[in-house]
Amino acid sequence: MPPPEPEPAPTAPLTRWWRGAVVYQIYPRSYADANGDGIGDLRGICERLDHIQALGADAIWVSPVFRSPMADAGYDISDHCDIDPLFGTLADADHLIHEAHARGLRLLFDFVPNHTSDQHPWFVESRASRDNPRRDWYIWRDEPNNWRAALGAGSAWTWDELTGQYYLHLFLSQQPDLNWRHPPVVEAMHGVLRFWLDRGVDGFRIDVAHCTGKDACFADHPRCLAGEPLSSFNDHEHSHEVLRGIRRVVDAYADERVLVGEVNIRSTESVVRYYGIGDELHMSFNFPPLDAPWDPVVFRTCIREVERLMRAEHVWPTWVLSNHDNVRHRSRYGGSMRRARAAALLLLTLRGTPFIYQGEELGLEDAAVHPERRVDPGGRDGCRAPLPWRRAAPHGWAGAEPWLPFPPDAGALSVQAQEAEPDSMLQWYRALLRERRACAALRLGDWEELPGPPEVLAYRRRHGEDERVVCINFAAHALLVELPGAWRVRLATQPGREGRDYDGTVHEEQGLLLAPAGGAP
Ligand code: GLC
């Protein structure tokens, strides 16, 4: 069989919606609560779609809302084809799909292929007896190897008293790993994809997409000996086969349904392989920038690496600075709002599809969560705090106290407060998204680094005649950055320079978006 066509070079005309899109991640527990139980829900999302529309995002990824005992906040699924009562009903999911589409927003659901909940009927059967027809749906062994689980869960193997074997779980013991080498599992999980595709979702974010394929010999791994969980580096050929199968399911549907994978290996070189030859992921997360401190050398290295490796393979990058698993980037940058503004400029002007994690458009920091209120066994509560909608407490969360405390400065950073404030972070994100939407160079253009002082990241985006330059000064003092030609400031992280000619200076920790001086004002 001839190999499928490779993805077109990024300079070719691009029609694929996801390449020009900005995706907004909703963490449903903390987005908006319609039923007043203190936990966000699907109706809450529907009621607050205006916020995403006003922001100017094109698509939404919703973290899991399926039936779950919530050992891992919904990433432990006990029924893939139903909604957990915490979040609502299937009818609410249908309504959300409909409402999002009515507003021109695409909707991606989370697909969790690596594991289910231990309460899933498949696992309940699998652990019932060794000769149960579903025994091989999960991974059972007589002897454990040295593989470590993530989320501080210790060994990746749990002993099952009843049947006298160990089962594998790369995450919590309540999240047994599915056996993707067993054809009925593949068929059943493809059925899950079709269930949601038939209901109209525009694609999926695939949870730990690099984990489904495992070493069939179960060899010990030296990195596990050193205490690292296998999920941080597992990178087996079989995961690619699993992804090719998933891609075939999705490609059978019209309207370009899309797969974006969480390949949670901190190596861009490995990440690139998960695009296959245009037959695996459409896009993959690439997390080195999400770990990066506020440091021009680290960012420059990450960006150059992406450009070098992804351009060579003609694959489309993504950019992510925050999500529900990591400390928010403003907190990571020492709490600095100024840096967070510059980071937003970076996120939204690099070549690739940006993902915004709910609340970063408000400049939120992680919440301080008292030990008694901790929920997540993986210690990730801080970035999962509820979104403050209104200035006055309880910030739009009428009813029971929210499941986690609010982030710092919730009133001043609320949507309501920032809507009234022309220079707020929210207005800054809106301006950036507006600019991006109107500018082919920013959405689809090529990327070229420009020379400058080492503390400044300067680059040009170009698409035909359309051009923009971005300068970001990481230093705490102003620097001269000479640019060829005449430029005008379109957007600046601090007010006062917009619409003026660029004078060759970038102020301390300032970011500038420049357009040719001869162009439209
Ligand atoms: C992914 C999710 C994370 C979850 C884990 C196990 O990394 O983003 O929240 O705990 O997978 O499903």
Side-chain angles (χ1 to χ4, degrees):
M1 207 173 70
E5 288 277 297
E7 298 256 303
T11 46
L14 301 170
T15 53
R16 298 164 188 208
W17 68 264
W18 42 274
R19 292 193 179 214
V22 173
V23 186
Y24 184 88
Q25 180 192 354
I26 290 187
Y27 193 68
R29 300 174 78 88
S30 299
Y31 188 69
D33 179 16
N35 68 358
D37 66 353
I39 298 180
D41 45 45
L42 290 173
R43 281 204 296 121
I45 299 175
C46 275
E47 287 171 10
R48 299 280 189 186
L49 283 175
D50 285 358
H51 174 66
I52 300 166
Q53 236 186 338
L55 183 64
D58 306 277
I60 304 169
W61 147 37
V62 184
S63 281
V65 285
F66 316 108
R67 266 194 197 266
S68 165
M70 304 288 165
D72 185 14
Y75 282 94
D76 50 322
I77 298 171
S78 55
D79 184 348
H80 300 90
C81 299
D82 200 5
I83 300 296
D84 195 275
L86 264 187
F87 297 120
T89 62
L90 257 185
D92 293 332
D94 288 338
H95 186 60
L96 173 62
I97 296 169
H98 179 267
E99 285 295 298
H101 287 169
R103 292 157 191 262
L105 293 165
R106 314 236 186 189
L107 197 70
L108 310 183
F109 268 5
D110 218 304
F111 180 60
V112 185
N114 181 65
H115 43 267
T116 67
S117 159
D118 62 347
Q119 306 298 308
H120 196 296
W122 299 340
F123 188 71
V124 172
E125 286 187 45
S126 183
R127 82 188 312 180
S129 69
R130 286 202 188 196
D131 57 7
N132 188 283
R134 291 216 209 268
R135 184 68 170 177
D136 291 338
W137 283 48
Y138 294 83
I139 300 167
W140 293 94
R141 302 265 298 165
D142 291 331
E143 291 295 330
N145 61 10
N146 80 349
W147 292 358
R148 310 280 307 168
L151 309 181
S155 168
W157 298 93
T158 287
W159 173 249
D160 181 58
E161 196 61 52
L162 179 70
T163 57
Q165 280 190 312
Y166 293 87
Y167 65 87
L168 179 67
H169 52 90
L170 297 197
F171 293 87
L172 302 176
S173 61
Q174 299 95 319
Q175 293 170 293
D177 279 32
L178 282 165
N179 177 11
W180 277 82
R181 293 186 194 272
H182 189 52
V185 167
V186 178
E187 213 173 294
M189 290 300 276
H190 286 185
V192 170
L193 292 166
R194 291 195 191 94
F195 178 85
W196 289 109
L197 290 164
D198 289 341
R199 298 186 103 86
V201 301
D202 299 287
F204 303 94
R205 173 268 191 185
I206 303 185
D207 192 63
V208 287
H210 61 297
C211 283
T212 52
K214 280 125 189 151
D215 174 11
C217 306
F218 298 98
D220 282 346
H221 202 290
R223 286 176 72 173
C224 287
L225 204 58
E228 259 189 279
L230 190 78
S231 57
S232 317
F233 55 85
N234 187 65
D235 190 12
H236 193 275
E237 182 46 42
H238 186 237
S239 294
H240 296 278
E241 191 182 317
V242 170
L243 287 175
R244 286 191 289 273
I246 291 174
R247 176 67 179 258
R248 282 193 294 273
V249 172
V250 167
D251 278 352
Y253 285 76
D255 317 321
E256 277 198 291
R257 315 290 174 106
V258 70
L259 299 175
V260 49
E262 182 205 15
V263 178
N264 204 343
I265 309 176
R266 265 51 177 180
S267 150
T268 306
E269 201 160 1
S270 308
V271 163
V272 166
R273 290 202 293 275
Y274 286 79
Y275 289 73
I277 47 171
D279 57 352
E280 295 183 32
L281 298 172
H282 294 86
M283 294 185 279
S284 174
F285 293 144
N286 174 54
F287 286 141
L290 180 123
D291 301 329
W294 183 250
D295 182 322
V297 177
V298 180
F299 269 104
R300 182 175 282 116
T301 310
C302 290
I303 296 165
R304 281 185 185 166
E305 186 116 310
V306 165
E307 282 296 322
R308 181 173 65 82
L309 295 165
M310 297 208 167
R311 194 150 50 174
E313 295 297 325
H314 303 315
V315 302
W316 189 249
T318 62
W319 297 99
V320 184
L321 297 177
S322 287
N323 66 19
H324 65 290
D325 291 330
N326 294 275
V327 172
R328 285 183 175 279
H329 63 265
R330 185 178 154 211
S331 300
R332 237 174 26 245
Y333 305 154
S336 162
M337 201 54 128
R338 191 162 72 176
R339 293 176 180 178
R341 288 174 85 95
L345 174 64
L346 184 72
L347 176 78
L348 291 159
T349 59
L350 286 168
R351 193 179 68 87
T353 298
F355 285 70
I356 295 173
Y357 175 49
Q358 69 178 36
E360 73 172 73
E361 77 282 16
L362 305 177
L364 297 185
E365 288 187 89
D366 273 27
V369 181
H370 193 272
E372 277 159 27
R373 288 200 67 181
R374 277 185 202 150
V375 178
D376 178 41
R380 300 163 294 182
D381 293 324
C383 61
R384 299 177 176 182
L387 277 202
W389 291 99
R390 305 191 62 79
R391 188 191 285 274
H395 308 303
W397 288 71
E401 190 185 358
W403 70 292
L404 283 176
F406 285 100
D409 305 321
L413 296 180
S414 66
V415 174
Q416 185 188 33
Q418 296 203 42
E419 276 188 327
E421 168 61 57
D423 295 324
S424 66
M425 182 66 112
L426 178 59
Q427 304 292 6
W428 173 240
Y429 267 81
R430 285 180 181 174
L432 283 168
L433 268 86
R434 246 189 334 265
E435 186 71 13
R436 193 185 151 86
R437 186 168 279 213
C439 175
L442 291 179
R443 276 180 288 114
L444 306 169
D446 53 17
W447 181 93
E448 181 200 351
E449 193 173 346
L450 300 174
E455 301 93 329
V456 175
L457 197 59
Y459 49 89
R460 186 203 313 262
R461 303 288 317 275
R462 191 164 18 199
H463 186 74
E465 297 288 288
D466 198 18
E467 261 187 291
R468 293 287 184 274
V469 162
V470 175
C471 297
I472 295 173
N473 181 2
F474 284 74
H477 51 269
L479 283 163
L480 294 176
V481 184
E482 276 182 47
L483 296 172
W487 297 88
R488 184 168 298 144
V489 178
R490 291 279 309 172
L491 294 176
T493 47
Q494 287 86 38
R497 298 189 68 174
E498 286 163 12
R500 302 216 177 140
D501 286 343
Y502 172 63
D503 62 6
T505 311
V506 190
H507 300 159
E508 62 272 26
E509 296 187 333
Q510 186 173 52
L512 298 177
L513 175 68
L514 309 174

